[in-house]
């Protein structure tokens, strides 16, 4: 039996909506998984569908396992919970004989030789980085349902920078596709699984009928990051049916570069005009201090995604204010964060409830070192540990060789070791300038991080030779804890999606890192995706949030970096201006100090008469009701009565004056400011 009291009112409305399309537009931490599990349970409980006829799709295998676990606890373990890929693989295996007879097929497990051959044929240099980038382009195109013929135009429209001219990529793409058909059968890559599954259902009535007999009800989590190809599969699953529940948060769209798009989520109620649309805004994960920051950050977003007007309401008891700290350089930032982590642990926060999040995987190196120095156990998520990475292993082999050479200059000790090391690694791709292309860039960043580590060790021990420093590096590599242990999490913002911790350290908040340089170069849309990444980072924290940046990269380096643009307005507010509550509030009419919260919001003591025009107040209430209806939230979530009264009395003329009223912050102004000012203007 399911207990719907485990849900709040909005969650329950979504979970118990009648059979048919449901769209849950839910902010971070609002309990999406909880709600969709209950929805599935409810549909089964009410006899709308039986357990084995439901397919729940999640974004990662880990999320699918979590979903299966929760469904099991509710006694409905027969519900299928899978990723798009694993669902498609299973279906294709089953239906293949019906669509292709005994034509043999197998999964293509290594795409590189195929791409390499294609690249060589069209005269594109087939180094590893190029090949990875070419594969990235092919995968993006396939996920976006873009053919080789359409590639050049599409890449232009999407403001992508291909690793080689677009025409060349298109040629490689064509040859890659052709190369998968061999005399001994067909090879399918991940995207082909989806394509063929959709194709089988679209083209074979028998397959479609059998499948749709089996599965009748579909649920998709993280729907903001669905690709056009995945959407096509979903559509093929559904056929003419509309038993579909989707959950998503457009503000957390962070996989656009792989072809994901929030458009299907945002257009859902247009596709299904009779859909039940629910908005969850109560954030059960984070304190009000953290949700306030999250709201402010995302309140500044622009573009289509920003139009969803979701504001988080922090449901946890109040906690510490988020902190914002500038450090002279990266090693100092890392050391200080490691110290703070140690303090938190001493005060009782378990290591597994602490995370350090950053923009790119190469940033982990400096934190791995600082944590190791403090003796804190950690694990790196979404990327191997620094010393386990291929390029780092290769680089160390290279350096060991260099150290054995007999012609090394005598003065190559201490800080000078880094100079020798840099020269030794140049042939591996450590060029002077950062290269183009995602893979080449990551490799370059990793190698640069290694050189910086060597430089730091050399500065700390000025007598050491390359040999000595390699010894120190080896110790560090070996000291790294095995991956299963319970330690502090180091993760990129992308890998942190959907997860939560008591304490989160958001590090490296400087321009060109967040937003990352190539996003700045690519334009506004890409910068907006970076803003959403920041938002995802903030909303991972339950209680403690420490935001930081370093003005120089290297120890003692020139402090030329600029704090991230996403902190503009926020850092000044947080650090320099006393909180509103610290200033005594006085009655607008008689000047008496105000005491009750109600009086403070209105800005007038209870003894003085209202200066508001009743008609205006009524008009404002009507306006509020319209908005609340449109957003499907209770009216008080738009504005409380007291705030509306304050507006009626103060009659603000512009956004700045609106901000003076308590209960109105930047997010409210961004969402309702212009519309509210219009009501006021109309009245005067
Ligand atoms: P994200 O957007 O980050 O993926 P989400 O919407 O999936 O977030 P969940 O991870 O499902 O959110 O929930 C966040 C936390 O809030 C979880 O710890 C969950 O158990 C808790 N939670 C959800 N709903 C409620 C509720 N009604 N009462 C109490 N706690 C809740
Ligand atoms: Mg989630």
């Amino acid at each position: 039996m399911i207990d719907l009291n485990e849900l709040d009112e909005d969650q329950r409305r979504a979970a118990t909506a009648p059979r048919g399309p449901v769209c849950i537009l839910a902010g971070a931490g609002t309990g999406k998984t909880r709600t969709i599990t209950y929805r599935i349970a409810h549909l089964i409980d009410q006899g709308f569908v039986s357990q084995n006829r439901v397919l729940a799709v999640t974004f990662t295998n880990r999320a699918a396992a979590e979903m299966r676990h929760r469904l099991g606890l509710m006694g409905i373990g027969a519900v299928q919970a899978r990723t798009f890929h694993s669902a498609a693989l299973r279906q294709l295996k089953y239906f293949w004989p019906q669509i292709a007879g005994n034509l043999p097929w197998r999964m293509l497990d290594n795409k590189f030789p195929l791409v390499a051959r294609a690249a060589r044929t069209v005269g594109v240099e087939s180094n590893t980085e190029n090949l990875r980038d070419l594969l990235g382009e092919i995968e993006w195109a396939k996920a976006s349902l873009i053919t080789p013929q359409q590639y050049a135009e599409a890449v232009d429209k999407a403001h992508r920078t291909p690793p080689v001219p677009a025409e060349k990529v298109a040629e490689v793409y064509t040859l890659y596709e052709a190369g998968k058909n061999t005399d001994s059968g067909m090879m399918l890559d991940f995207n082909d699984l989806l394509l063929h599954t959709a194709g089988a259902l679209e083209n074979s009535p028998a397959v479609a009928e059998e499948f749709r007999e089996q599965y009748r009800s579909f649920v998709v989590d993280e729907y903001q990051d669905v690709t056009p190809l995945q959407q096509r599969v979903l559509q093929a699953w559904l056929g003419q049916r509309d038993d579909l529940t989707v959950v998503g948060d457009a503000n957390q769209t962070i996989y656009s570069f792989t072809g994901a798009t929030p458009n299907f989520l945002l257009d859902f109620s247009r596709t299904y005009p009779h859909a039940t649309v629910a908005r969850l805004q109560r954030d059960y994960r984070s304190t009000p201090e953290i949700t306030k920051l999250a709201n402010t950050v995302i309140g500044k977003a622009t573009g289509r995604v920003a139009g969803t007007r979701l504001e988080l309401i922090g449901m946890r008891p109040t906690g510490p204010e988020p902190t914002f700290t500038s450090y002279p350089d990266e090693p100092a930032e890392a050391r200080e964060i490691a110290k703070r982590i140690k303090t938190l642990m001493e005060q009782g926060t378990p290591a597994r409830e602490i995370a350090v999040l950053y923009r790119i995987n190469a940033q982990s190196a400096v934190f791995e070192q600082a944590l190791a120095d403090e003796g804190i156990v950690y694990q790196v998520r979404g990327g191997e540990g620094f010393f386990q990475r291929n390029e780092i292993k290769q680089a160390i082999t290279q350096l060991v060789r260099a150290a054995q050479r007999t012609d090394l200059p005598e003065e190559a000790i201490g800080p000078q070791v880094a100079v020798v090391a840099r020269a030794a690694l140049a042939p591996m791709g450590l060029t002077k300038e950062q290269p183009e292309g995602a893979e080449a860039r990551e490799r370059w960043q990793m190698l640069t991080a290694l050189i910086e580590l060597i430089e730091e060790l050399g500065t700390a021990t000025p007598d050491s030779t390359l040999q000595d420093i390699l010894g120190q590096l080896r110790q560090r590599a070996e000291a790294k804890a095995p991956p299963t242990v319970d330690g502090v999490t180091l993760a990129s913002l992308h890998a942190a999606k959907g997860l939560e911790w008591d304490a989160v350290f958001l590090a490296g908040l400087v321009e060109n890192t967040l937003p990352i340089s190539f996003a700045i170069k690519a334009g506004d849309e890409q910068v907006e995706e970076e803003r959403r990444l920041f938002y995802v980072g903030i909303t991972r924290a339950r209680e403690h949030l420490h935001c930081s940046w370093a003005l120089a990269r290297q120890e003692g380096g020139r402090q030329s970096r600029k704090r991230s643009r996403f902190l503009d307005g926020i850092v000044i507010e947080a650090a320099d201006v006393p909180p509103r509550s610290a200033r005594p509030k006085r009655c607008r009419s008689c000047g008496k100090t105000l005491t009750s919260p109600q009086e403070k919001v209105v800005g007038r003591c209870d003894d003085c008469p209202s200066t508001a025009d009743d008609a205006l107040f009524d008009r404002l209430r009507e306006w509020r009701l319209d908005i609340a209806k449109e957003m499907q939230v209770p009216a008080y979530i738009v504005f409380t009565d007291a705030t509306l009264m304050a507006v009626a009395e103060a009659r603000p003329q512009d956004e700045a004056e609106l901000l003076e009223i308590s209960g109105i912050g930047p997010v409210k102004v961004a969402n309702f400011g212009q519309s509210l000012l219009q009501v006021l203007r109309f009245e005067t």
Side-chain angles (χ1 to χ4, degrees):
M1 208 40 224
I2 51 168
D3 179 7
L4 292 168
N5 291 323
E6 294 286 315
L7 302 179
D8 72 29
E9 184 191 329
D10 295 330
Q11 292 172 333
R12 197 163 20 201
R13 202 174 73 81
T16 60
R19 190 204 60 71
V22 175
C23 172
I24 306 174
L25 290 167
T30 52
K32 290 189 282 275
T33 313
R34 186 181 284 221
T35 306
I36 46 180
T37 354
Y38 275 84
R39 167 142 189 83
I40 296 170
H42 175 78
L43 288 172
I44 293 167
D45 196 52
Q46 296 293 303
F48 288 124
V49 66
S50 57
Q51 287 193 43
N52 54 356
R53 298 210 180 316
V54 181
L55 179 56
V57 187
T58 61
F59 201 72
T60 59
N61 285 318
R62 187 169 162 265
E66 168 69 22
M67 176 82 88
R68 277 195 293 275
H69 174 69
R70 294 200 199 181
L71 292 166
L73 291 180
M74 299 180 90
I76 46 174
V79 172
Q80 295 281 321
R82 297 182 174 273
T83 62
F84 272 106
H85 283 116
S86 88
L89 176 60
R90 213 171 109 102
Q91 291 160 24
L92 201 61
K93 274 188 183 154
Y94 180 80
F95 287 117
W96 188 263
Q98 284 188 58
I99 55 167
N102 49 18
L103 176 70
W105 72 281
R106 60 188 170 86
M107 283 303 293
L108 170 61
D109 28 47
N110 186 3
K111 295 170 250 182
F112 278 85
L114 264 185
V115 183
R117 187 156 16 109
R120 278 194 302 270
T121 309
V122 305
V124 168
E125 204 194 323
S126 58
N127 58 46
T128 318
E129 290 74 48
N130 248 352
L131 297 183
R132 286 206 184 150
D133 285 340
L134 283 166
L135 258 177
E137 287 308 296
I138 294 172
E139 273 161 13
W140 167 76
K142 293 179 78 167
S144 309
L145 299 174
I146 292 163
T147 62
Q149 292 72 34
Q150 298 162 329
Y151 176 80
E153 198 186 323
V155 90
D156 197 43
K157 239 167 80 194
H159 307 290
R160 289 176 80 89
T161 332
V164 296
E167 295 68 33
K168 287 282 174 201
V169 179
E171 285 175 43
V172 173
Y173 180 7
T174 307
L175 289 177
Y176 167 82
E177 287 298 305
K180 284 181 296 165
N181 295 319
T182 66
D183 292 341
S184 58
M186 266 172 109
M187 295 189 282
L188 305 185
D189 65 20
F190 266 147
N191 284 316
D192 294 330
L193 287 181
L194 298 177
L195 270 172
H196 284 280
T197 301
L201 290 159
E202 288 161 0
N203 301 323
S204 162
V207 168
E209 196 181 326
E210 188 179 344
F211 177 85
R212 289 172 198 153
E213 189 54 40
Q214 170 65 47
Y215 289 106
R216 288 157 177 274
S217 198
F218 302 88
V219 175
V220 187
D221 196 3
E222 306 273 5
Y223 193 55
Q224 78 280 356
D225 275 320
V226 76
T227 65
L229 174 57
Q230 290 167 339
Q231 175 66 25
R232 181 162 155 197
V233 171
L234 182 60
Q235 200 55 59
W237 285 342
L238 278 163
Q240 296 303 311
R241 291 216 184 90
D242 65 355
D243 289 304
L244 173 62
T245 300
V246 298
V247 184
D249 177 5
N251 287 327
Q252 293 187 65
T253 305
I254 56 173
Y255 279 94
S256 299
F257 67 96
T258 65
T261 163
N263 287 339
F264 300 109
L265 174 70
L266 297 176
D267 289 336
F268 194 82
S269 56
R270 212 161 307 151
T271 312
Y272 299 99
H274 58 302
T276 303
V277 179
R279 287 169 193 259
L280 310 179
Q281 297 187 295
R282 297 183 196 89
D283 178 335
Y284 292 96
R285 177 181 295 146
S286 308
T287 63
E289 285 78 6
I290 289 165
T291 53
K292 180 171 172 241
L293 174 64
N295 286 331
T296 308
V297 166
I298 210 66
K300 292 180 183 170
T302 59
R304 175 159 200 217
V305 171
T308 47
R309 296 212 284 207
L310 279 175
E311 196 171 336
L312 296 175
I313 303 163
M315 300 301 282
R316 284 175 61 104
T318 116
E321 284 288 342
T323 57
F324 302 89
T325 316
S326 166
Y327 295 101
D329 51 61
E330 272 185 15
E333 182 181 19
R335 273 197 304 272
E336 193 53 42
I337 286 178
K339 284 212 186 84
R340 288 185 186 225
I341 289 177
K342 192 155 201 189
T343 309
L344 278 173
M345 286 169 61
E346 282 161 6
Q347 289 167 353
T349 309
R352 66 170 179 284
E353 288 301 344
I354 302 173
V356 182
L357 306 180
Y358 37 77
R359 177 62 181 83
I360 54 171
N361 287 323
Q363 286 172 277
S364 79
V366 63
F367 295 104
E368 289 182 54
Q369 187 190 349
L371 291 172
D373 286 347
E374 285 287 343
I376 299 169
V377 175
Y378 63 85
Q379 66 188 95
V380 182
R381 222 180 238 288
E384 307 116 291
F386 185 68
F387 290 106
Q388 274 65 45
R389 298 186 63 100
N390 258 338
E391 61 267 37
I392 296 304
K393 284 192 200 154
Q394 288 165 6
I396 301 231
T397 311
Q398 204 62 34
L399 293 177
V400 169
R401 252 181 239 146
Q404 285 160 353
R405 273 173 32 195
T406 46
D407 58 344
L408 285 180
E410 287 253 326
E411 65 278 13
I413 53 165
Q416 287 304 311
V417 170
V419 178
V420 175
R422 189 179 281 278
L425 297 186
M428 284 188 61
L430 186 62
T431 47
K432 255 211 177 84
E433 292 291 317
Q434 189 165 156
E436 288 284 334
E439 290 298 332
R441 209 158 39 216
E442 174 146 336
R443 184 185 177 87
W444 186 89
Q445 286 159 346
M446 288 293 169
L447 293 176
T448 304
L450 179 65
I451 293 292
E452 275 160 10
L453 192 53
I454 292 173
E455 201 156 19
E456 211 188 312
L457 293 172
T459 312
T461 48
D463 297 332
S464 51
T465 61
L466 177 53
Q467 196 81 349
D468 301 334
I469 288 181
L470 281 171
Q472 293 190 45
L473 290 178
R474 201 168 305 120
Q475 274 175 13
R476 283 183 193 279
E478 281 159 9
K480 194 205 165 292
T484 47
V485 295
D486 167 15
V488 170
T489 298
L490 299 183
S492 70
L493 290 166
H494 280 103
K497 177 172 165 160
L499 308 179
E500 56 186 33
W501 294 272
D502 284 344
V504 169
F505 291 80
L506 285 185
L509 300 175
V510 285
E511 284 288 298
N512 292 316
T513 300
L514 190 79
I516 194 122
S517 50
F518 55 82
I520 299 175
K521 243 196 278 170
D524 289 349
E525 265 175 55
Q526 268 70 14
V527 171
E528 286 304 313
E529 181 135 323
E530 300 286 306
R531 187 195 307 281
R532 294 192 291 271
L533 264 176
F534 184 34
Y535 175 73
V536 167
I538 293 169
T539 54
R540 299 308 95 200
R542 296 197 192 101
E543 200 178 336
H544 300 276
L545 179 64
H546 177 266
C547 301
S548 62
W549 59 94
L551 297 174
R553 189 168 177 133
Q554 294 170 33
E555 188 105 57
R558 197 162 68 86
Q559 303 192 354
S560 55
R561 294 164 147 201
K562 273 188 62 190
R563 176 186 87 196
S564 167
R565 66 184 73 185
F566 301 140
L567 292 171
D568 287 355
I570 290 170
V571 171
I572 308 158
E573 257 174 69
D576 305 342
V577 181
R580 269 167 198 257
S581 53
R583 289 179 249 150
K585 291 220 168 200
R586 296 180 184 285
C587 171
R588 185 184 310 116
S589 299
C590 68
K592 197 171 90 183
T593 305
L594 301 175
T595 48
S596 83
Q598 173 79 11
E599 285 179 337
K600 283 183 187 166
V601 174
V602 179
R604 171 177 52 76
C605 69
D606 285 340
D607 301 332
C608 286
S610 166
T611 57
D613 175 328
D614 282 349
L616 174 59
F617 186 60
D618 286 346
R619 180 69 202 104
L620 286 169
R621 289 178 57 126
E622 270 169 41
W623 167 84
R624 176 179 65 177
L625 193 62
D626 286 346
I627 301 234
K629 272 194 189 143
E630 188 199 322
M631 292 176 60
Q632 308 199 18
V633 295
Y636 71 86
I637 286 185
V638 182
F639 283 125
T640 62
D641 273 355
T643 302
L644 272 199
M645 181 54 81
V647 171
E649 295 197 7
R651 292 184 178 241
Q653 299 290 307
D654 54 31
E655 294 195 345
E657 287 181 21
L658 269 178
L659 280 170
E660 287 294 300
I661 293 171
S662 64
I664 304 189
V667 179
K668 297 267 188 204
V669 168
N671 286 343
F672 314 119
Q674 284 311 318
S675 148
L676 179 56
L677 289 170
Q678 210 161 358
V679 177
L680 293 164
R681 241 171 261 140
F682 182 73
E683 288 291 323
T684 42

